[in-house]
Amino acid sequence: VAHAAVDHDPGPGVVAGEIGLHLLHGLVLAALERRDDAIEAFNRELRTPDRGQIHSRQCVANTWYALGAVQQRRGDIRAANMAFERALHIAPGHLICMAALGRPIPDLDPKDPRSVDASVARAVFQTRAGRHAAAGNTYRTLLASSHVANAGWMLPVEPILHVTAHPDVWSDLLTVVQQRAI
């Protein structure tokens, strides 16, 4: 049933809101440690035809990033890095991919709309270096910022932060995110 809803094709000439559904499904599957299923969902997203939605390009880049993150968790660093590079080719300013590859993250003005991504990228960079507590503190600072009320929505399924692997670091932050969602 879930696949039927995700796979619905409204037909030619109809612009539907299905962009990113396979991506989101894959992120949830990855969070549940169903890595092979997650990879298949990401590949399905990458096979979805571009129907001209404004965020199509960013969705494809995010899908390559997520695919790379799951490949990295599987230990296939070569495939992971290729996926991250592919995402950067599509979206050269993809800060979280830059962090996944160990590249420096620029300091941005807190009012810059990319500042949330920069903070998440810093957390990803720290996680990549095995500094999970530091990543949690970076995210904690982000959530405490008054100007970013919706900054945490992605936390439960962010594939490199992989919060379920370190509940001691992330459980209080997940509670904050849950409370904001209500």
Side-chain angles (χ1 to χ4, degrees):
V1 173
H3 284 289
V6 173
D7 291 336
H8 174 70
D9 182 1
V14 177
V15 177
E18 78 250 8
I19 185 170
L21 288 180
H22 293 296
L23 169 59
L24 184 55
H25 186 223
L27 289 169
V28 170
L29 291 168
L32 295 171
E33 291 299 325
R34 292 177 51 192
R35 296 176 191 169
D36 291 339
D37 294 334
I39 289 170
E40 177 54 32
F42 298 143
N43 286 327
R44 290 171 75 113
E45 183 70 45
L46 294 170
R47 290 190 306 263
T48 300
D50 181 350
R51 293 201 171 111
Q53 291 97 335
I54 192 166
H55 297 290
S56 292
R57 187 177 176 97
Q58 190 65 36
C59 181
V60 170
N62 289 341
T63 303
W64 279 109
Y65 163 73
L67 180 60
V70 172
Q71 294 286 20
Q72 184 178 57
R73 281 177 24 200
R74 290 173 84 189
D76 192 343
I77 303 306
R78 183 176 164 274
N81 288 343
M82 285 175 42
F84 296 144
E85 290 290 349
R86 185 86 181 258
L88 279 174
H89 177 74
I90 295 164
H94 199 293
L95 298 174
I96 300 170
C97 266
M98 291 169 59
L101 287 165
R103 296 180 185 168
I105 307 306
D107 289 323
L108 301 175
D109 184 296
K111 293 180 179 148
D112 186 311
R114 299 169 301 149
S115 66
V116 170
D117 283 347
S119 292
V120 174
R122 282 187 193 83
V124 164
F125 189 88
Q126 292 161 330
T127 296
R128 182 184 171 276
R131 296 176 28 229
H132 301 281
N137 287 333
T138 296
Y139 218 100
R140 204 169 272 103
T141 300
L142 171 63
L143 291 180
S145 299
S146 62
H147 68 283
V148 287
N150 66 348
W153 77 270
M154 184 78 173
L155 181 61
V157 295
E158 206 300 319
I160 288 184
L161 296 182
H162 192 209
V163 299
T164 57
H166 298 277
D168 55 316
V169 172
W170 299 102
S171 62
D172 64 315
L173 294 167
L174 290 170
T175 300
V176 170
V177 170
Q178 180 185 23
Q179 290 170 346
R180 288 183 180 181
I182 296 175

PDB file of all heavy atoms in Angstrom, residues 29-30 32-40 42 70 73-75 162:
ATOM      1  N   LEU A  29      13.440   4.449   5.984  1.00  0.00           N
ATOM      2  CA  LEU A  29      13.973   3.084   5.934  1.00  0.00           C
ATOM      3  C   LEU A  29      15.413   3.036   6.453  1.00  0.00           C
ATOM      4  O   LEU A  29      15.777   2.120   7.194  1.00  0.00           O
ATOM      5  CB  LEU A  29      13.909   2.532   4.510  1.00  0.00           C
ATOM      6  CG  LEU A  29      12.498   2.254   3.974  1.00  0.00           C
ATOM      7  CD1 LEU A  29      12.542   2.000   2.471  1.00  0.00           C
ATOM      8  CD2 LEU A  29      11.864   1.082   4.719  1.00  0.00           C
ATOM      9  N   ALA A  30      16.215   4.018   6.096  1.00  0.00           N
ATOM     10  CA  ALA A  30      17.602   4.070   6.582  1.00  0.00           C
ATOM     11  C   ALA A  30      17.634   4.237   8.100  1.00  0.00           C
ATOM     12  O   ALA A  30      18.444   3.593   8.780  1.00  0.00           O
ATOM     13  CB  ALA A  30      18.366   5.194   5.901  1.00  0.00           C
ATOM     14  N   LEU A  32      15.527   3.131  10.097  1.00  0.00           N
ATOM     15  CA  LEU A  32      15.111   1.836  10.647  1.00  0.00           C
ATOM     16  C   LEU A  32      16.138   0.734  10.382  1.00  0.00           C
ATOM     17  O   LEU A  32      15.879  -0.439  10.645  1.00  0.00           O
ATOM     18  CB  LEU A  32      13.758   1.428  10.053  1.00  0.00           C
ATOM     19  CG  LEU A  32      12.577   2.317  10.421  1.00  0.00           C
ATOM     20  CD1 LEU A  32      11.357   1.949   9.598  1.00  0.00           C
ATOM     21  CD2 LEU A  32      12.291   2.241  11.917  1.00  0.00           C
ATOM     22  N   GLU A  33      17.303   1.130   9.830  1.00  0.00           N
ATOM     23  CA  GLU A  33      18.388   0.189   9.491  1.00  0.00           C
ATOM     24  C   GLU A  33      18.025  -0.773   8.371  1.00  0.00           C
ATOM     25  O   GLU A  33      18.632  -1.834   8.244  1.00  0.00           O
ATOM     26  CB  GLU A  33      18.858  -0.593  10.722  1.00  0.00           C
ATOM     27  CG  GLU A  33      19.595   0.262  11.729  1.00  0.00           C
ATOM     28  CD  GLU A  33      20.870   0.889  11.175  1.00  0.00           C
ATOM     29  OE1 GLU A  33      21.568   0.276  10.351  1.00  0.00           O
ATOM     30  OE2 GLU A  33      21.153   2.029  11.556  1.00  0.00           O
ATOM     31  N   ARG A  34      17.076  -0.399   7.549  1.00  0.00           N
ATOM     32  CA  ARG A  34      16.730  -1.206   6.378  1.00  0.00           C
ATOM     33  C   ARG A  34      17.475  -0.603   5.185  1.00  0.00           C
ATOM     34  O   ARG A  34      16.894  -0.002   4.289  1.00  0.00           O
ATOM     35  CB  ARG A  34      15.216  -1.209   6.186  1.00  0.00           C
ATOM     36  CG  ARG A  34      14.512  -1.973   7.301  1.00  0.00           C
ATOM     37  CD  ARG A  34      13.018  -1.941   7.195  1.00  0.00           C
ATOM     38  NE  ARG A  34      12.530  -2.325   5.874  1.00  0.00           N
ATOM     39  CZ  ARG A  34      11.266  -2.145   5.475  1.00  0.00           C
ATOM     40  NH1 ARG A  34      10.371  -1.618   6.287  1.00  0.00           N
ATOM     41  NH2 ARG A  34      10.899  -2.507   4.265  1.00  0.00           N
ATOM     42  N   ARG A  35      18.772  -0.769   5.202  1.00  0.00           N
ATOM     43  CA  ARG A  35      19.658  -0.093   4.255  1.00  0.00           C
ATOM     44  C   ARG A  35      19.403  -0.479   2.800  1.00  0.00           C
ATOM     45  O   ARG A  35      19.378   0.384   1.931  1.00  0.00           O
ATOM     46  CB  ARG A  35      21.106  -0.345   4.631  1.00  0.00           C
ATOM     47  CG  ARG A  35      21.476   0.250   5.967  1.00  0.00           C
ATOM     48  CD  ARG A  35      22.882  -0.089   6.353  1.00  0.00           C
ATOM     49  NE  ARG A  35      23.099   0.269   7.746  1.00  0.00           N
ATOM     50  CZ  ARG A  35      24.160  -0.100   8.418  1.00  0.00           C
ATOM     51  NH1 ARG A  35      25.099  -0.845   7.850  1.00  0.00           N
ATOM     52  NH2 ARG A  35      24.306   0.256   9.673  1.00  0.00           N
ATOM     53  N   ASP A  36      19.244  -1.748   2.511  1.00  0.00           N
ATOM     54  CA  ASP A  36      19.007  -2.170   1.129  1.00  0.00           C
ATOM     55  C   ASP A  36      17.700  -1.584   0.604  1.00  0.00           C
ATOM     56  O   ASP A  36      17.635  -1.115  -0.535  1.00  0.00           O
ATOM     57  CB  ASP A  36      18.995  -3.694   1.009  1.00  0.00           C
ATOM     58  CG  ASP A  36      20.371  -4.314   1.235  1.00  0.00           C
ATOM     59  OD1 ASP A  36      21.385  -3.599   1.093  1.00  0.00           O
ATOM     60  OD2 ASP A  36      20.422  -5.512   1.573  1.00  0.00           O
ATOM     61  N   ASP A  37      16.666  -1.604   1.437  1.00  0.00           N
ATOM     62  CA  ASP A  37      15.381  -1.016   1.036  1.00  0.00           C
ATOM     63  C   ASP A  37      15.513   0.496   0.846  1.00  0.00           C
ATOM     64  O   ASP A  37      14.915   1.066  -0.064  1.00  0.00           O
ATOM     65  CB  ASP A  37      14.297  -1.317   2.082  1.00  0.00           C
ATOM     66  CG  ASP A  37      13.958  -2.794   2.170  1.00  0.00           C
ATOM     67  OD1 ASP A  37      14.150  -3.519   1.167  1.00  0.00           O
ATOM     68  OD2 ASP A  37      13.497  -3.221   3.250  1.00  0.00           O
ATOM     69  N   ALA A  38      16.314   1.127   1.702  1.00  0.00           N
ATOM     70  CA  ALA A  38      16.533   2.564   1.578  1.00  0.00           C
ATOM     71  C   ALA A  38      17.223   2.884   0.248  1.00  0.00           C
ATOM     72  O   ALA A  38      16.819   3.809  -0.462  1.00  0.00           O
ATOM     73  CB  ALA A  38      17.377   3.069   2.746  1.00  0.00           C
ATOM     74  N   ILE A  39      18.232   2.105  -0.083  1.00  0.00           N
ATOM     75  CA  ILE A  39      18.948   2.330  -1.344  1.00  0.00           C
ATOM     76  C   ILE A  39      17.996   2.181  -2.525  1.00  0.00           C
ATOM     77  O   ILE A  39      18.023   2.976  -3.463  1.00  0.00           O
ATOM     78  CB  ILE A  39      20.170   1.394  -1.449  1.00  0.00           C
ATOM     79  CG1 ILE A  39      21.237   1.864  -0.448  1.00  0.00           C
ATOM     80  CG2 ILE A  39      20.720   1.344  -2.872  1.00  0.00           C
ATOM     81  CD1 ILE A  39      22.392   0.902  -0.271  1.00  0.00           C
ATOM     82  N   GLU A  40      17.143   1.181  -2.474  1.00  0.00           N
ATOM     83  CA  GLU A  40      16.159   1.000  -3.549  1.00  0.00           C
ATOM     84  C   GLU A  40      15.214   2.202  -3.627  1.00  0.00           C
ATOM     85  O   GLU A  40      14.910   2.680  -4.723  1.00  0.00           O
ATOM     86  CB  GLU A  40      15.361  -0.291  -3.354  1.00  0.00           C
ATOM     87  CG  GLU A  40      14.272  -0.489  -4.387  1.00  0.00           C
ATOM     88  CD  GLU A  40      14.751  -0.427  -5.854  1.00  0.00           C
ATOM     89  OE1 GLU A  40      15.892  -0.813  -6.149  1.00  0.00           O
ATOM     90  OE2 GLU A  40      13.958   0.029  -6.710  1.00  0.00           O
ATOM     91  N   PHE A  42      15.894   5.289  -2.748  1.00  0.00           N
ATOM     92  CA  PHE A  42      16.665   6.406  -3.303  1.00  0.00           C
ATOM     93  C   PHE A  42      16.822   6.245  -4.813  1.00  0.00           C
ATOM     94  O   PHE A  42      16.692   7.225  -5.567  1.00  0.00           O
ATOM     95  CB  PHE A  42      18.031   6.521  -2.623  1.00  0.00           C
ATOM     96  CG  PHE A  42      17.968   6.799  -1.146  1.00  0.00           C
ATOM     97  CD1 PHE A  42      18.875   6.217  -0.282  1.00  0.00           C
ATOM     98  CD2 PHE A  42      17.000   7.635  -0.611  1.00  0.00           C
ATOM     99  CE1 PHE A  42      18.834   6.458   1.075  1.00  0.00           C
ATOM    100  CE2 PHE A  42      16.944   7.888   0.757  1.00  0.00           C
ATOM    101  CZ  PHE A  42      17.862   7.296   1.595  1.00  0.00           C
ATOM    102  N   VAL A  70      24.047   6.320   3.238  1.00  0.00           N
ATOM    103  CA  VAL A  70      23.745   4.907   3.498  1.00  0.00           C
ATOM    104  C   VAL A  70      24.889   4.021   2.998  1.00  0.00           C
ATOM    105  O   VAL A  70      25.267   3.058   3.674  1.00  0.00           O
ATOM    106  CB  VAL A  70      22.378   4.510   2.893  1.00  0.00           C
ATOM    107  CG1 VAL A  70      22.153   3.004   2.986  1.00  0.00           C
ATOM    108  CG2 VAL A  70      21.256   5.256   3.599  1.00  0.00           C
ATOM    109  N   ARG A  73      27.499   4.155   5.618  1.00  0.00           N
ATOM    110  CA  ARG A  73      27.162   3.318   6.767  1.00  0.00           C
ATOM    111  C   ARG A  73      27.361   1.837   6.456  1.00  0.00           C
ATOM    112  O   ARG A  73      27.635   1.048   7.361  1.00  0.00           O
ATOM    113  CB  ARG A  73      25.722   3.580   7.223  1.00  0.00           C
ATOM    114  CG  ARG A  73      25.661   4.844   8.038  1.00  0.00           C
ATOM    115  CD  ARG A  73      24.348   5.324   8.531  1.00  0.00           C
ATOM    116  NE  ARG A  73      23.264   4.440   8.716  1.00  0.00           N
ATOM    117  CZ  ARG A  73      21.998   4.850   8.768  1.00  0.00           C
ATOM    118  NH1 ARG A  73      21.699   6.132   8.646  1.00  0.00           N
ATOM    119  NH2 ARG A  73      21.020   3.985   8.953  1.00  0.00           N
ATOM    120  N   ARG A  74      27.250   1.474   5.195  1.00  0.00           N
ATOM    121  CA  ARG A  74      27.496   0.086   4.781  1.00  0.00           C
ATOM    122  C   ARG A  74      28.992  -0.205   4.657  1.00  0.00           C
ATOM    123  O   ARG A  74      29.385  -1.344   4.433  1.00  0.00           O
ATOM    124  CB  ARG A  74      26.833  -0.192   3.434  1.00  0.00           C
ATOM    125  CG  ARG A  74      25.325  -0.230   3.503  1.00  0.00           C
ATOM    126  CD  ARG A  74      24.741  -0.346   2.143  1.00  0.00           C
ATOM    127  NE  ARG A  74      24.733  -1.752   1.742  1.00  0.00           N
ATOM    128  CZ  ARG A  74      24.440  -2.177   0.522  1.00  0.00           C
ATOM    129  NH1 ARG A  74      24.131  -1.314  -0.425  1.00  0.00           N
ATOM    130  NH2 ARG A  74      24.431  -3.444   0.236  1.00  0.00           N
ATOM    131  N   GLY A  75      29.819   0.845   4.732  1.00  0.00           N
ATOM    132  CA  GLY A  75      31.261   0.673   4.628  1.00  0.00           C
ATOM    133  C   GLY A  75      31.808   0.830   3.227  1.00  0.00           C
ATOM    134  O   GLY A  75      32.997   0.628   3.008  1.00  0.00           O
ATOM    135  N   HIS A 162      22.552   9.954  12.081  1.00  0.00           N
ATOM    136  CA  HIS A 162      22.096   8.629  12.516  1.00  0.00           C
ATOM    137  C   HIS A 162      21.863   8.612  14.023  1.00  0.00           C
ATOM    138  O   HIS A 162      22.496   7.873  14.783  1.00  0.00           O
ATOM    139  CB  HIS A 162      23.128   7.594  12.075  1.00  0.00           C
ATOM    140  CG  HIS A 162      22.654   6.196  12.209  1.00  0.00           C
ATOM    141  ND1 HIS A 162      23.517   5.149  12.447  1.00  0.00           N
ATOM    142  CD2 HIS A 162      21.429   5.633  12.159  1.00  0.00           C
ATOM    143  CE1 HIS A 162      22.850   4.025  12.526  1.00  0.00           C
ATOM    144  NE2 HIS A 162      21.571   4.293  12.360  1.00  0.00           N
TER     145      HIS A 162
END
